[in-house]
Amino acid sequence: MNEMTRIAPRAETTIKDWETDQEVRWCPGCGDYAILKAMQRTMPELGADPANTVFVSGIGCSSRFPYYMETYGFHTIHGRAPAIATGLKLANPELDVWIITGDGDALSIGGNHTMHLLRRNLDCQILLFNNEIYGLTKGQYSPTSREGTRSPSTPYGSVDHPANPCAFALGSGARFVARSIDVHKNLPDQLKAAYAHKGAAFVEIFQNCIVYNKDVFGDFTEKKNAALSQLWLTHGQPMLFGADKDGGGAKGIAVDHATLTLRVVDVADGDWQAAGVIVHDITNRAVAHMLVEMPFGPFPMALGVIYDDPRPTLEVAVHAQIQAATRGKVPDLQKLVSKGQTWVVEPDGFAH
């Protein structure tokens, strides 16, 4: 069996098997509702087994997620979900482990843990809900908040340069990086692709905080703007966007070979090859870096599976090492305890 391909027995479930009896408690209109429902609808299609699935979260609005999935779950402490998930997966590599986190949870106090989980390539799915704000603690600016963001902690506007979650993931060595939108019909496709990937799968989901950062992503999430502002990537297909991809209104992404940068080109009469539009290759790490760094405005927002190139996972390597180290040996706890210097405490209270 190829260790980089997920092969597991299929379980026959329905959406009801994944819904708990807990009251879902987020603010009315919160994007988390859409993500939760997309997850509950997708799990039966994956053939996943609730008894073999674990959702791990840290602290934040998104971190209530485990309460609403009828699986095992851990609501842990701020930023430490990756550490808990690592322990779970090493103890039982057969578990399906999902990490639910937010931009503040994963990239501030949890940045170090997130980085190491990605570089170690633990087999799990990381869903980062990015609303560019601290919602649970009443609207302070977060690591992804844009410059100029006014909040209780930055009343005159943030002067911080924001973190780019997908660039952070790629820079940390992630082998799978995707982007999606909370209410978009394509979100289940990214969830399925992340689950199919054997290794650490990182998915950034743009999530609308209806209270503290409403419509911050509206420039590219609203339907009226979507055609020219969203670049949905498909492996083996040209990078096209626009109102009429097959006609005269198409645009595409090409490489400027003089500067080794990306640029937007117009596509005449559907002839994307003549316009120099490049074909998406999910294994091309260099282009993936350029796609996640494209500045929105002059460029569309790159969405879908941006990078997917598996490699052996941490838990496989750890267990192979354990097997090699213990092969042919008989466990003897007493021998281990007695190894080296020992002391005996006598009745007089002195050690000899």
Side-chain angles (χ1 to χ4, degrees), residues 197-220:
H197 176 89
K198 183 70 172 177
F202 182 90
V203 183
E204 177 187 11
I205 304 174
F206 294 111
Q207 184 262 352
N208 187 31
C209 176
I210 198 77
V211 176
Y212 296 110
N213 217 15
K214 184 180 179 182
D215 298 329
V216 69
F217 303 118
D219 287 347
F220 66 87

Side-chain angles (χ1 to χ4, degrees), residues 40-75:
Q40 291 170 336
R41 288 173 175 163
T42 301
M43 295 304 273
E45 297 179 30
L46 296 176
D49 184 353
N52 197 54
T53 303
V54 187
F55 282 84
V56 186
S57 65
I59 295 296
C61 296
S62 64
S63 293
R64 297 187 62 80
F65 211 89
Y67 294 102
Y68 310 136
M69 296 296 299
E70 189 60 38
T71 66
Y72 292 101
F74 289 84
H75 188 177

Side-chain angles (χ1 to χ4, degrees), residues 26 29-41 65 181-184 187-188 191:
W26 286 307
C30 174
D32 289 357
Y33 285 99
I35 301 172
L36 173 65
K37 192 55 65 175
M39 176 64 75
Q40 291 170 336
R41 288 173 175 163
F65 211 89
I181 300 168
D182 53 6
V183 296
H184 202 282
L187 175 57
L191 299 179

Side-chain angles (χ1 to χ4, degrees), residues 12 50 177 228 300:
E12 297 297 329
V177 173
L228 289 171

Side-chain angles (χ1 to χ4, degrees), residues 110-186:
N112 193 43
H113 293 284
T114 304
M115 176 186 72
H116 291 301
L117 181 142
L118 291 170
R119 73 168 180 82
R120 288 169 173 152
N121 198 36
L122 188 80
D123 183 25
C124 64
Q125 295 74 237
I126 308 108
L127 307 186
L128 187 149
F129 299 10
N130 182 12
N131 56 22
E132 294 189 359
I133 209 75
Y134 278 106
L136 184 67
T137 51
K138 307 300 182 281
Q140 297 88 346
Y141 83 113
S142 83
T144 58
S145 295
R146 303 173 196 185
E147 294 178 28
T149 297
R150 293 182 179 273
S151 75
S153 54
T154 54
Y156 299 106
S158 171
V159 296
D160 277 7
H161 182 67
N164 180 325
C166 287
F168 171 88
L170 282 170
S172 299
R175 308 298 299 188
F176 179 101
V177 173
R179 275 193 187 134
S180 199
I181 300 168
D182 53 6
V183 296
H184 202 282
K185 65 180 181 179
N186 288 353

